[in-house]
Amino acid sequence: MAILVTGGAGYIGSHTVLALLERGEDVVVLDNLSNSSPESLFRVERLTGKKVIFYQGDIQEHHLLDHLFRQHDIHAVIHLAGLKSVRESTEEPLKYYQNNISGSLIVLDRMRHAGVRQFIFSSSATVYGPAEYTPLTESCRVGQTTNPYGTSKLIVEQILAEFARTAPQMAITALRYFNPAGAHESGLIGEDPAGIPNNLLAYLAQVAIGKLAVLPVYGNDYPTSDGTGVRDYIHVMDLAEGHLKALDNLRPGFNVYNLGTGKGYSVLEIIQAFERACGFKIAYQINPRRAGDIAECWSDPTLAAEKLGWQAKRSLEKMVCDAWHWQSKNPQGYGSCAPLVGG
Ligand code: NAD
Ligand code: WQD
């Protein structure tokens, strides 16, 4: 029995594949490498001493999916493949709707055709839009998304809910990630964004290694403790473990869980924590607010604790230390050194 992980070569995917292999699961990865490197999976193999069955291809390729479901005894799909740049989605919305919505539909359709009934979807706290109240619970209003990326996640959630209603044998879980950060403690796998990073921790880490000059802090006039935006940063290995718990607790129907820590930190608090980890000052400057940003966003993770038996274990200190370890060991990400192992 194997688990299909779409997008498994990416940031969250590689950490999730590692966690799955470590507990003895067989894993098949489908990834078109549009935002990742196969090196991440070579390193996962090296860390675990186990093989990943890897297919380079697109989730929109019906025949490839059919081949994969025929060839391997897949009992569950963890669907992480997707485009995730908020900024790019505002410039090319159709690309995001095509890849993230049509792509998800095709995966669902082919897995149903193959008789696979278990599905976990990478959703995002972005579906909540501007918070009605914090901390955010799963019953907060959704639908006020501020960009096409967020809308694509929301629409897929709605499709999954409808599908589950008409196919009661299906067990579908959407995991709403808050702000994934950090890296595996080995420093061998981590986040390797293409181009200029959008996300705070990725940008900060590149300033720390000298690849970027100054961190722009987007606004210090929010109604928060120090005026900068507050988010719920979650260690990527806690997130990976959340997928294992979600898999173990799949129930018929459609269920949604927040994966966050329940704590919010401001941008300045993150910078200070990072400075403690790397041992020197980070250059930053206060810029105007970034369009579409909200003041604060943090989770109430109680439902995941109650229903999945999951909660984040790793501290902010651990998160920034692991992020720094990864970045300093791999200044150019996966492109920085010769491959560690062959395929
Ligand atoms: P990532 O870009 O590192 O990983 C996504 C992977 O999907 C990449 O390896 C990419 O090559 C692959 N991919 C994209 N489109 C594909 C397609 N059509 N066919 C096959 N492979 C394809 O991103 P990530 O941070 O690991 O995010 C994983 C998932 O989690 C995404 O769906 C993302 O939207 C979601 N998510 C991410 C965050 C975050 O901040 N990182 C937060 C919430 C939700
Ligand atoms: C965090 C805080 C910024 C960069 C995004 C997506 C969301 C999800 C996670 C996928 C904010 C501030 C940032 C910088 C800064 N992704 N910041 N300087 O915006 O909470 O969420 O990533 O699903 O959908 O919207 O994350 O890391 O971009 O920002 O000051 O260079 O850091 O203003 O307060 P965000 P982020």
Side-chain angles (χ1 to χ4, degrees), residues 124-126 128-129 131 133-140 175-180 230-235 238-239 256-265 294 296-305 310-312:
S124 168
T126 193
Y128 293 115
Y133 52 84
T134 44
L136 287 150
T137 65
E138 291 79 353
S139 49
C140 279
L175 300 175
R176 291 179 181 156
Y177 313 153
F178 278 67
N179 288 59
V230 169
R231 297 291 184 276
D232 185 342
Y233 298 91
I234 173 169
H235 196 293
D238 278 326
L239 207 56
V256 176
Y257 302 100
N258 285 341
L259 292 188
T261 66
K263 285 193 218 68
Y265 290 101
I294 53 179
E296 54 178 6
C297 173
W298 43 287
S299 69
D300 177 341
T302 307
L303 193 66
W310 172 89
Q311 61 185 39

Side-chain angles (χ1 to χ4, degrees), residues 84 86 123-126 147 149 153 177-180 197-201 203 215-218 222 228-231 233 267 290 293-295:
K84 66 164 180 177
V86 168
S123 190
S124 168
T126 193
N147 55 74
Y149 165 74
K153 290 290 174 192
Y177 313 153
F178 278 67
N179 288 59
N198 290 313
N199 294 120
L200 177 64
L201 254 301
Y203 203 114
L215 173 76
V217 173
Y218 296 128
Y222 285 106
T228 63
V230 169
R231 297 291 184 276
Y233 298 91
V267 176
R290 184 173 64 176
D293 269 358
I294 53 179

Side-chain angles (χ1 to χ4, degrees), residues 302-339:
T302 307
L303 193 66
E306 284 175 4
K307 302 283 187 194
L308 306 180
W310 172 89
Q311 61 185 39
K313 297 190 293 240
R314 294 162 178 87
S315 65
L316 173 65
E317 269 59 41
K318 172 85 179 138
M319 203 153 26
V320 292
C321 277
D322 288 342
W324 173 236
H325 187 208
W326 151 256
Q327 191 70 73
S328 51
K329 213 167 159 172
N330 305 270
Q332 303 303 325
Y334 292 114
S336 58
C337 51

Side-chain angles (χ1 to χ4, degrees), residues 164-186:
R165 256 201 296 282
T166 60
Q169 75 283 5
M170 291 294 299
I172 302 179
T173 289
L175 300 175
R176 291 179 181 156
Y177 313 153
F178 278 67
N179 288 59
H184 187 257
E185 62 186 357
S186 63

Side-chain angles (χ1 to χ4, degrees), residues 11 16 26 50 79 118 128 146 209-210 237 245 274 343:
Y11 172 44
T16 301
D26 290 329
K50 308 228 169 97
H79 178 43
Q118 302 192 317
Y128 293 115
T146 54
I209 46 146
M237 284 309 300
K245 290 288 191 184
F274 203 97

Side-chain angles (χ1 to χ4, degrees), residues 7 9-13 30-36 57-60 80-84 99 122-124 149 153 177-178 180 199:
Y11 172 44
I12 299 167
L30 172 63
D31 198 305
N32 64 5
L33 303 182
S34 59
N35 196 38
S36 52
D58 201 286
I59 51 168
Q60 298 176 75
L80 295 119
L83 298 172
K84 66 164 180 177
N99 195 76
S122 292
S123 190
S124 168
Y149 165 74
K153 290 290 174 192
Y177 313 153
F178 278 67
N199 294 120

